Amino acid sequence: NAGVMQNPRHLVRRRGQEARLRCSPMKGHSHVYWYRQLPEEGLKFMVYLQKENIIDESGMPKERFSAEFPKEGPSILRIQQVVRGDSAAYFCASSRSEGLTGELFFGEGSRLTVL
Amino acid sequence: AQTVTQSQPEMSVQEAETVTLSCTYDTSENNYYLFWYKQPPSRQMILVIRQEAYKQQNATENRFSVNFQKAAKSFSLKISDSQLGDTAMYFCAFMKAASGTYKYIFGTGTRLKVLA
C-alpha cells in the first residue's frame, strides 16, 4: 500500500508564476490536509478537504491560494502569482474516515522556491 | 478553539539517557486524540505514539511513552535510552472528530538533539 505521494518534490518558480502541488492520498483515504512549513518553524494548517468538498480552509490565504480534491485524481494546491514569501515546504497528509484510528499519514512534502 | 503548546523550542540529551518533551493543550472537549509526530532531517513526518483521551492508561511504544494528564491537559513524551536516530523535530498534535470531519492542531515543535 503506497504512502501519501506528493509531487513535485522540488519546484522552482519566478515571482508571478503559478505553482501547482499534487497529492495522492493513501489508498482508502478520503480526507486530505495541506500544511505549510517555513524553515525552522512548525506546521501551519492550510486546508482540509474531502472528496469534492472543502471542509475547512481557515488557514489558507484568501487570495492567490486554492485547493481542490476532485472525485478522481489527486488533490491539488494551487498558488497563483507566487511571491518570495510563498517559499516553503508544503506537506500533504491523509486519513481514513471509517474505522478511524486518528492517525494522519504524511507525504514527503513539496519544497517550493520562489526566485 | 483548541490550542497546542510546546514550551521547549530546543532540547538536547546524551545518548542512552532519558528525555521528556512537554506538551499542553486547551480544549473543552471530552473525547479526542493526542499524538506525537517525529520529523527527522529527511523531513517526512512519522507517527511516534497516539493516545485516546477516553483511555486512562498511558500509551507506550517501545522506548517511547507518554504521561497523559487529562485534568491538567498535559501530554508529555518520554524517550528512554535515547539514540542518535531520535534526533528530530517532535510535534504534539490534538485531534477532534465531529460529524464525520477531523480537525488536527499541531504545536510549534521541539527540536531534539541526541548527543554522542
Side-chain angles (χ1 to χ4, degrees), chain B residues 45-61:
Chain B
M45 297 268 285
I46 53 177
L47 178 69
V48 174
I49 200 164
R50 168 181 50 236
Q51 175 82 42
E52 292 91 340
Y54 62 85
K55 290 186 178 179
Q56 293 185 343
Q57 187 174 6
N58 289 325
T60 62
E61 285 288 341

Side-chain angles (χ1 to χ4, degrees), chain A:
Chain A
N1 188 9
V4 178
M5 304 301 291
Q6 288 188 249
N7 69 83
R9 292 292 309 282
H10 299 275
L11 182 63
V12 179
R13 286 288 179 266
R14 296 191 180 280
R15 281 180 297 170
Q17 291 184 320
E18 178 180 288
R20 283 190 181 224
L21 309 178
R22 296 174 195 78
C23 170
S24 295
M26 285 184 70
K27 187 177 181 180
H29 287 196
S30 58
H31 300 250
V32 166
Y33 303 77
W34 285 94
Y35 291 86
R36 178 162 69 177
Q37 187 178 37
L38 294 170
E40 305 303 314
E41 292 190 12
L43 289 172
K44 182 176 182 296
F45 168 77
M46 298 184 73
V47 62
Y48 165 28
L49 310 105
Q50 292 182 16
K51 284 283 187 181
E52 300 184 278
N53 285 308
I54 296 175
I55 305 302
D56 182 350
E57 57 183 347
S58 59
M60 202 153 67
K62 294 287 187 288
E63 297 179 353
R64 301 189 298 108
F65 286 73
S66 62
E68 62 176 7
F69 187 19
K71 186 176 180 180
E72 301 291 337
S75 174
I76 306 247
L77 179 66
R78 181 183 178 201
I79 311 172
Q80 295 177 290
Q81 299 172 348
V82 296
V83 301
R84 288 216 174 101
D86 297 332
S87 295
Y90 292 83
F91 287 92
C92 172
S94 72
S95 71
R96 295 179 59 183
S97 53
E98 296 79 29
L100 180 74
T101 62
E103 182 178 355
L104 271 182
F105 292 83
F106 282 83
E108 295 184 338
S110 292
R111 182 178 298 280
L112 172 65
T113 301
V114 180
L115 303 178

Side-chain angles (χ1 to χ4, degrees), chain B residues 5-17:
Chain B
T5 301
Q6 293 180 250
S7 58
Q8 305 151 314
E10 293 186 359
M11 293 192 72
S12 61
V13 62
Q14 288 294 135
E15 196 175 7
E17 298 292 311

Side-chain angles (χ1 to χ4, degrees), chain B residues 68-89:
Chain B
F68 174 46
Q69 301 290 328
K70 190 172 183 179
K73 297 177 184 175
S74 171
F75 183 60
S76 60
L77 174 70
K78 185 171 83 171
I79 306 174
S80 305
D81 185 24
S82 297
Q83 301 176 359
L84 296 177
D86 295 333
T87 293
M89 279 287 282

